[in-house]
Amino acid sequence: MSVDAARASAALLAWYDRHARALPWRAPPGAATAADPYRVWLSEIMLQQTTVAAVIPYFERFTTRWPDVAALAAAEEGEIMAAWAGLGYYARARNLIACARAVAAAGGFPQEEEALRALPGIGRYTAAAIAAIAFGRRAVVADANVERVVARLFAIETPLPAARPTLYRHTDLLTPAARAGDFAQAMMDLGSRVCTVRAPLCLTCPLRPDCAAQKQGRPEDFPVKPPRRAKPRRLGIGYWLEAEDHVLLVRRPAKGLLGGMLGLPGGGWGAEAEPAPPAPADWRAIGAVEHVFTHFALTLRIEAARLPTRPIAGAWWPIARIGEAGLPTLFARAADLALAQTRTHSESA
DNA sequence: TATGCGTGGTC
DNA sequence: TGACCAAGCAT
C-alpha cells in the first residue's frame, strides 16, 4: 500500500492538536493528566451507537448525581434505569450497573484491554478505547468512524462486515506507540467532522495526500455496505389506566425490547411475554403512537379507562409526576397522548 | 456470522 | 418522508 503510516498518524495528531473537540469526558490533546477512567468508561458506554449531542446531557446528569464508580455501584437499579430512560439500548444500563459493581468491588478499573473486555457491556471497541484514552495504552481502537476513515484511506472494496479484519489490521498499522488515546480520538473526530458519511470535507483533511478513495474521486463509495432489509410493521396496544390521580405502570421483563424499563401494560407487538391486560374497565380508544425501533416500526394504539379506587396490587405512579417515572420514549409519548386526551375529555365532560 | 436491541438528526 | 446512520455488545 502507498500510505506512509508514520506520516499519516503524525499529520492526524497535528490536526487533532488544533481541532480537537472539547467534550465533558475528554482531556485536552497532549494533556499531562489523563481523563478520569470512570468518566471515560461512562461516556464510552453511552456513546455506543449514540450521538455525542444525545449523550452530553445524560453524561452531565449521571456524573453530577453519581460522581464516581463507587457512587454508581451503590445506587438503586431502578434509579439508574430511570436516569437512562430516553437514551435507548437499555441493555447498556443493565450492564452499566453490573460493571460498576464489579469495578467498585475490585477497587478500580483494570488497565489491561483483556481485563476490561471481560467486564459487562465492554466489547472489543470499548476495551481498546478505555485502555488507550484513560490509561495511555497502545490499543487498536476501531469504531464506525475509524472504519470509514480507514476504508477510504485504503479504498477497501470488500463490503462490511467481511472487511472488518482487514480494516482492523490497517488501523493497527496506523496506530502509533505514543499518544494512542489522542490518536483514537483524533480518528473519531476526523470521522465525525471531516471524513463524514455524506459530503466529506476532503479539502481540509490532513490525510488527503494518502487517501486512495479521494485519489479516485469517490470517497463516499467507502466503506461498501450490504443492502438493508425492509422493516416490518407491527401493531400493539397500550392501556392507560387511571385511579385516584395515579396510572398503572409495569416493570418489563429484564431481557428483550425495553428490558427492565417501566412501561404501560398491554402488548401484542413483541415476542416477549406480555403482562395480562389490567382490571376490567370501560376502555376508550384515544389514539395511537407511531414509533420506529431498530428492526421494526410500531403502531401502538392507546386505550384509556378510569377506576373509582386504586387497587392495592400493582405499581401505581402519580400522574402529576409521570415525567419522573423514567419511561422509555415510546411510553413517554403514549403518556403525552393520554394526558392530552384525558384532559380534553375532562373539559368536555 | 447473523440477529436483536432505541432514539433522534439529517436530507 | 422514509431511509440511513451514530464512539457496539451479547448471544
Side-chain angles (χ1 to χ4, degrees):
Chain A
M1 64 208 65
S2 61
V3 175
D4 180 336
R7 198 213 72 82
S9 62
L12 183 67
L13 283 168
W15 173 85
Y16 185 68
D17 288 337
R18 289 187 293 133
H19 298 292
R21 288 179 291 181
L23 298 171
W25 47 84
R26 177 180 279 185
T33 306
D36 177 358
Y38 169 67
R39 294 166 69 86
V40 172
W41 163 72
L42 180 61
S43 69
E44 289 298 341
I45 301 301
M46 288 182 166
L47 286 163
Q48 288 167 3
Q49 297 287 283
T50 308
T51 58
V52 166
V55 163
I56 286 175
Y58 283 85
F59 180 83
E60 300 287 13
R61 284 195 292 272
F62 266 69
T63 52
T64 298
R65 189 166 173 184
W66 301 295
D68 51 47
V69 71
L72 190 64
E76 291 204 11
E77 289 192 29
E79 297 290 315
I80 296 173
M81 298 305 287
W84 195 277
L87 198 54
Y89 285 135
Y90 298 99
R92 293 184 296 173
R94 301 192 299 272
N95 286 329
L96 188 82
I97 297 165
C99 186
R101 292 179 177 170
V103 169
F109 284 91
Q111 300 192 15
E112 304 292 342
E113 204 175 335
E114 187 179 341
L116 286 161
R117 176 74 177 77
L119 290 166
I122 298 183
R124 187 181 70 166
Y125 159 76
T126 304
I130 295 171
I133 296 168
F135 299 116
R137 305 299 178 94
R138 184 187 180 280
V140 180
V141 180
D143 75 325
N145 282 305
V146 177
E147 287 181 350
R148 184 169 59 257
V149 171
V150 174
R152 289 174 178 173
L153 200 55
F154 297 92
I156 306 291
E157 300 280 0
T158 309
L160 291 172
R164 292 239 154 79
T166 300
L167 293 168
Y168 189 89
R169 283 196 302 274
H170 285 304
T171 306
D172 193 358
L173 293 176
L174 289 168
T175 302
R179 298 188 67 187
D182 280 352
F183 177 79
Q185 294 176 95
M187 289 285 274
M188 293 188 278
D189 275 19
L190 190 77
S192 94
R193 290 170 43 162
V194 176
C195 195
T196 48
V197 175
R198 287 181 296 273
L201 306 175
C202 297
L203 290 179
T204 69
C205 183
L207 302 183
R208 187 184 185 199
D210 299 304
C211 184
Q214 205 281 329
K215 284 183 172 66
Q216 296 178 17
R218 51 186 197 108
E220 288 184 87
D221 288 353
F222 303 95
V224 181
K225 297 189 175 180
R228 296 198 173 194
R229 287 192 331 207
K231 271 180 192 176
R233 173 164 292 281
R234 295 184 192 169
L235 182 62
I237 188 163
Y239 297 101
W240 179 266
L241 184 61
E242 292 187 11
E244 300 178 75
D245 299 318
H246 285 62
V247 62
L248 180 64
L249 300 180
V250 297
R251 178 73 65 184
R252 297 174 60 79
K255 295 188 176 181
L257 194 64
L258 310 179
M261 301 300 289
L262 287 175
L264 296 186
W269 49 283
E272 74 276 15
E274 297 289 349
D282 291 328
W283 296 104
R284 184 168 59 90
I286 61 169
V289 173
E290 300 290 337
H291 195 74
V292 180
F293 292 104
T294 306
H295 52 296
F296 68 96
L298 174 69
T299 300
L300 189 69
R301 291 191 293 111
I302 309 299
E303 298 202 0
R306 183 169 298 157
L307 297 176
T309 58
R310 178 156 34 123
I312 301 296
W316 295 85
W317 192 273
I319 293 172
R321 296 196 292 112
I322 192 67
E324 304 162 37
L327 295 175
T329 298
L330 167 68
F331 294 120
R333 298 203 330 221
D336 287 344
L337 175 66
L339 287 174
Q341 290 295 313
T342 54
R343 192 176 305 124
T344 301
H345 186 250
S346 300
E347 287 164 1
S348 62

